[in-house]
Amino acid sequence: MSVLIALGFCADNAAQAERLLDYIHHSNTGLHNAILLAASADVHGELRERIKISAGLAFKRVYEMELNPMADPQSAKFIQINNTFRQTSEYIYKNFVWPFLWLEPDCVPVYGGALIDLAKQYDEQPKGYFGTQMKILNEAKEERFFMARVGFYPNNAHAQIFTPEIQRGPFEIAAGDSIHPRMTATKAIQQTSILTETDLSKVRPDALLVHGDKHGHYIRSRPINKPVEPRFDDVKCFNPPMPIAVAPDPVPEAQPVGVDHQPDSPVPPRRRGRPTLADKAERAELAALIERNSL
């Protein structure tokens, strides 16, 4: 069974999304199947293009959608998350037939191929939902179970989650009573909070995907595979910018006396520096061509 990866992001965490995709590319020897990039309208176009290039290096197929802006941009965080998930899940139902793995920018696969192994575990179990079992206490001090946001969902999840009966609150908690009986609990997806390097010890040895690495501590702690050039430094341009070198102005040629001569247009100085976005896209295509020819 094919599984679609869905990654939602906004202006606040778009840089994290790019870092995650770069890490997936670096830590894997092969390409994943497909990813849907769900970008909020506040993400700058150039940053969105960089994220698309990063996704193209890690996934065989990249799909994009732009989320409709909220009427109140100052809404509570959980309302923004609900809006992102709802629009994305509805888009998936209308345009794909696959179930999907919902990722957020502070997620980290613990090793190369972890997402592929996680998808295999999903295929091997019978239920539509597959994720981390969580619990809270209701007003009566009774335990209520629900599935954490990051996890696997069936293709029609939006219809099962966003019903009129869902009360106001985070969708994963509000829909817990409906979703929990339909889920398979797994420890392969770990919900934690990695705020410092010492928090890395919280990651369990049986975890394949960790959610909560907001500052990239886990990513920086992991060894990565160095891809064949030009796959990272040239394409992503993460090296410090080169010093700008300005060519001297051309020396005009001496003209014979008495000859009417119109001077040529000034020659603009040639500059070297960080490649433009078009350069990056061209180099990404070159990298893909090199990889195909090397197989």
Side-chain angles (χ1 to χ4, degrees):
M1 178 189 300
S2 295
V3 174
L4 177 70
I5 305 293
L7 176 63
F9 56 92
C10 62
D12 292 339
N13 56 22
Q16 288 178 278
E18 183 182 20
R19 179 178 61 196
L20 168 63
L21 294 169
D22 284 334
Y23 171 75
I24 292 175
H25 162 55
H26 276 256
S27 60
N28 282 277
T29 56
L31 297 178
H32 291 282
N33 182 33
I35 186 170
L36 171 64
L37 303 176
S40 295
D42 60 354
V43 181
H44 190 276
E46 183 170 346
L47 180 53
R48 193 179 304 181
E49 188 66 21
R50 290 178 63 91
I51 292 173
K52 180 180 178 181
I53 292 174
S54 296
L57 295 173
F59 292 83
K60 297 177 183 177
R61 285 171 285 180
V62 179
Y63 304 96
E64 294 180 280
M65 65 169 292
E66 180 175 312
L67 301 169
N68 296 323
M70 298 188 61
D72 181 10
Q74 304 302 321
S75 299
K77 186 67 175 179
F78 78 85
I79 297 179
Q80 298 179 34
I81 295 174
N82 285 4
N83 177 65
T84 297
F85 185 89
R86 181 169 191 161
Q87 289 191 48
T88 305
S89 58
E90 289 176 349
Y91 183 90
I92 290 174
Y93 177 72
K94 294 176 181 178
N95 295 277
F96 303 95
V97 297
W98 304 320
F100 62 96
L101 169 60
W102 177 255
L103 290 185
E104 296 182 359
D106 57 340
C107 291
V108 185
V110 300
Y111 61 82
L115 295 181
I116 296 176
D117 291 344
L118 199 57
K120 291 178 180 178
Q121 291 189 20
Y122 176 70
D123 288 344
E124 293 170 355
Q125 56 83 48
K127 297 188 177 181
Y129 297 85
F130 184 70
T132 305
Q133 177 176 275
M134 310 287 287
K135 66 180 179 181
I136 59 172
L137 295 178
N138 60 16
E139 296 178 356
K141 305 301 181 181
E142 300 171 335
E143 290 186 344
R144 286 188 58 202
F145 294 93
F146 64 95
M147 189 181 90
R149 279 196 313 272
V150 172
F152 290 84
Y153 294 81
N155 181 263
N156 62 339
H158 74 287
Q160 300 174 354
I161 294 176
F162 296 100
T163 63
E165 292 77 21
I166 296 299
Q167 298 178 356
R168 185 177 178 86
F171 76 84
E172 68 274 21
I173 298 176
D177 292 340
S178 172
I179 300 306
H180 183 259
R182 308 177 186 181
M183 71 166 287
T184 297
T186 178
K187 292 186 176 181
I189 304 175
Q190 181 179 356
Q191 308 291 323
T192 187
S193 179
I194 302 177
L195 301 178
T196 64
E197 292 184 359
T198 57
D199 291 334
L200 294 174
S201 60
K202 297 179 181 179
V203 179
R204 298 191 311 267
D206 58 348
L208 300 184
L209 177 65
V210 176
H211 178 211
D213 185 24
K214 294 187 179 299
H215 304 293
H217 291 296
Y218 191 88
I219 288 179
R220 288 193 292 270
S221 72
R222 306 301 296 173
I224 59 177
N225 299 325
K226 292 294 184 181
V228 177
E229 296 291 349
R231 293 298 298 275
F232 183 66
D233 290 335
D234 282 350
V235 175
K236 297 303 295 171
C237 215
F238 274 14
N239 280 342
M242 299 174 60
I244 296 177
V246 181
D249 292 335
V251 179
E253 297 180 0
Q255 300 296 324
V257 178
V259 176
D260 186 13
H261 174 70
Q262 295 295 330
D264 297 329
S265 300
V267 178
R270 299 182 63 186
R271 297 177 178 269
R272 296 183 62 192
R274 295 176 69 91
T276 64
L277 185 60
D279 294 333
K280 298 173 189 175
E282 181 179 353
R283 288 171 180 173
E285 294 177 1
L286 175 61
L289 177 62
I290 292 174
E291 182 175 359
R292 289 196 298 269
N293 292 337
S294 63
L295 295 178

